[in-house]
Structures are given as structure tokens and as C-alpha cells.
Amino acid sequence: GAVVSQHPSRVICKSGTSVKIECRSLDFQATTMFWYRQFPKQSLMLMATSNEGSKATYEQGVEKDKFLINHASLTLSTLTVTSAHPEDSSFYICSAPPQIAVGNEQFFGPGTRLTVL
Amino acid sequence: GEDVEQSLFLSVREGDSSVINCTYTDSSSTYLYWYKQEPGAGLQLLTYIFSNMDMKQDQRLTVLLNKKDKHLSLRIADTQTGDSAIYFCAEGYTGTASKLTFGTGTRLQVTL
């Protein structure tokens, strides 16, 4: 299957700092990418849809000024957690559907574990 | 809204078959997926089924779909310890960039 990478895999930061997470599609182009967060022992919650060349679409309850999304190219989307606080600690996962996918499947990155002290 | 429910936990002995169940409420879903998540990792797509199909088999995996009852199941034959993980079902829709709605996840524990 297609490969999606995320960087970094793990980050620990102090409260009040900003953290950038990258999501890359390595062997295909993706005009759309999705950002999820997952709390321990819970399912994935969609945060936003990242669109190449236009603004991201945020799910209800997700602060767009807190979670900045930039879809810079057809293979890269970034999520910046601004002024991070301990409650932002979570597992952040991105996914990307290839532009041509037989089953409309999405491929997921390995996730980024964010810990805010 | 869309609700996708799964039982929380399943324990099976190595070599037995595992059956993980999923119920959903949105009948307009086009595709239904099964993903596997190992601890601290992302999601691995296992298989998917188109909504007009009843069954799909892929090696040790068999997916059954009862669209009338909105019930999806994943059967893993000859379950191995490496199958221990969390399994998520998900609904998807027509369009290559449609978002997925995930189930609550089932933790599969395989014992010796």
C-alpha cells in the first residue's frame, strides 16, 4: 500500500510553546489529508480536513487558531499546535487518500505522540 | 449523526478463529473498512468491502456485511499472537477524499 510518514514520532514540550507536526505522502500525491487525534484507549476523532491550495476545514469544536493547518504541497501537510497546554497532550495521526484509490481507502501515518509538560 | 459501535474487548486462544463485530447507523456509507492498530502505532488498513457486497475473503480474513441490519464483521482464521491489537471498523463514502467515521475499537487479546 501507499506510504504516509509523520515527523516527529514523539515530542515533549513545555506549556506555552508551539509544536509543528509534518505529514507526508511518500509515493503518491494527496490533494486532501486528514488530521485526527486519539486519546488513550479511545477511537480516532477527526479534527480537520487539510486541502492543498485552500483553507482547511475544521470539525465542530476544534479551534482553528489553536490547530493551524497548512497544506503546502501535494505531498505535505503540517499541523501546528500553538501555545500548547497539557490538555493538548495526545496522539495525533494523519491520513491521506491517494487521488486514485480503488476502494477510496486512506493510508495512515504512524502517529505523533505529543506530551505537553 | 453517525454512530459506529464495537464491543470493547475480545479474548481468543491462539489457533482459534476471532470474530469482531461492528454496527453502524448510516445506510448511505459506500465502503466499510477494517483497520488494525498496534500499541503506539498508526492504523494499518486490513481490508475493505463495498456496500453492495455481502462477503469478501482475503487470506485469513473474512468480512461479512449485512446491510439490512447494518452489521459488519471481521473473522480472523487461525488467530496468532501477532494479531493482538485494536481493530477499528470505519465507514466511508463516495468520493476519493471523503472522511471516515471510526468505530469505538475492539481490543483483541490472543492467549497461548
Side-chain angles (χ1 to χ4, degrees):
Chain A
V3 178
V4 176
S5 71
Q6 278 183 247
H7 177 80
S9 58
R10 183 182 290 267
V11 57
I12 300 173
C13 68
K14 292 183 179 179
S15 188
T17 59
S18 293
V19 175
K20 181 186 283 189
I21 303 169
E22 293 185 348
C23 177
R24 291 182 187 272
S25 55
L26 296 186
D27 51 1
F28 65 97
Q29 293 183 333
T31 54
T32 300
M33 293 183 178
F34 298 94
W35 286 98
Y36 298 83
R37 69 187 295 183
Q38 185 181 31
F39 291 107
K41 298 185 180 180
Q42 292 189 25
S43 188
L44 280 73
M45 183 192 81
L46 179 66
M47 298 175 65
T49 303
S50 173
N51 304 299
E52 191 269 336
S54 64
K55 290 183 180 180
T57 305
Y58 291 82
E59 295 300 300
Q60 193 172 8
V62 178
E63 299 175 59
K64 59 182 68 175
D65 294 330
K66 174 109 178 121
F67 299 99
L68 300 179
I69 291 173
N70 181 28
H71 200 132
S73 73
L74 287 171
T75 59
L76 173 65
S77 174
T78 61
L79 168 69
T80 301
V81 183
T82 61
S83 186
H85 290 282
E87 58 266 30
D88 299 323
S89 298
S90 189
F91 193 55
Y92 292 87
I93 308 177
C94 69
S95 74
Q99 288 181 295
I100 299 175
V102 174
N104 281 3
E105 62 266 38
Q106 294 183 20
F107 295 96
F108 284 78
T112 297
R113 169 89 46 206
L114 170 63
T115 303
V116 185
L117 302 175
Chain B
E2 307 115 351
D3 289 317
V4 186
E5 299 287 335
Q6 297 177 240
S7 52
L8 285 178
F9 182 76
L10 176 66
S11 181
V12 298
R13 287 184 180 272
E14 188 177 40
D16 288 349
S17 293
S18 308
V19 179
I20 302 171
N21 295 301
C22 170
T23 57
Y24 60 98
T25 56
D26 189 352
S27 59
S28 66
S29 55
T30 309
Y31 297 95
L32 293 133
Y33 305 87
W34 283 104
Y35 283 90
K36 175 184 180 183
Q37 185 180 34
E38 298 189 34
L43 273 70
Q44 173 195 355
L45 176 66
L46 292 177
T47 187
Y48 66 90
I49 189 168
F50 192 47
S51 60
N52 68 354
M53 297 168 65
D54 298 324
M55 186 192 85
K56 181 179 180 181
Q57 185 161 2
D58 184 0
Q59 299 182 333
R60 291 193 297 126
L61 305 179
T62 303
V63 178
L64 294 178
L65 174 61
N66 182 329
K67 198 166 183 181
K68 174 176 170 288
D69 294 338
K70 298 188 184 68
H71 183 265
L72 179 75
S73 68
L74 173 69
R75 179 177 181 271
I76 305 173
D78 187 25
T79 312
Q80 303 296 308
T81 54
D83 295 325
S84 294
I86 300 176
Y87 290 80
F88 292 96
C89 61
E91 289 184 284
Y93 307 89
T94 302
T96 54
S98 65
K99 58 187 180 183
L100 300 180
T101 301
F102 281 88
T104 46
T106 299
R107 180 178 296 276
L108 174 64
Q109 179 184 68
V110 182
T111 59
L112 296 173

